Amino acid sequence: MLTYRTARHGGALHKVPAPGTSLRCSACGFTTPGSREEQATFVCKNPDCGWSGNADWNAARNILHLYRMGHALTPAAGRAVVRRPRGVKPATAR
Ligand SMILES: [Zn+2]
């Protein structure tokens, strides 16, 4: 569904590797099994952080982080990657 929608609207769907995203603290990056004390609640085990919140929201933040990291590490055609305004499609996009 998501692939269909983004294709239809001319956007780009990026898939990022997801392992560990539910175990990583999106606030400090600390990753350890057991941070997810309940299905819906993430509690960071880093004593200097202690962030807690919705586990799915935390995982989504981690996936977004991976997506942004991937962009930073993959320059387009050797040029600097410039953040484009919303709604402006790159020339190569269909
Ligand atoms: Zn943390």
Side-chain angles (χ1 to χ4, degrees):
M1 184 60 187
L2 192 59
T3 306
Y4 166 78
R5 282 181 66 106
T6 49
R8 178 172 179 167
H9 292 284
L13 179 66
H14 293 265
K15 293 177 181 176
V16 295
T21 51
S22 63
L23 299 176
R24 178 184 181 274
C25 174
S26 64
C28 72
F30 192 71
T31 304
T32 183
S35 294
R36 200 162 178 171
E37 295 190 343
E38 297 170 37
Q39 183 63 24
T41 308
F42 179 96
V43 179
C44 183
K45 297 299 183 187
N46 181 353
D48 294 329
C49 175
W51 184 87
S52 67
N54 181 276
D56 289 331
W57 184 86
N58 180 66
R61 289 245 308 172
N62 286 327
I63 291 168
L64 183 63
H65 170 76
L66 286 172
Y67 167 71
R68 286 177 174 160
M69 290 292 286
H71 258 234
L73 296 171
T74 311
R79 289 179 294 172
V81 176
V82 179
R83 177 179 277 275
R84 294 184 182 87
R86 268 178 100 85
V88 177
K89 283 181 272 187
T92 54
R94 281 182 286 153

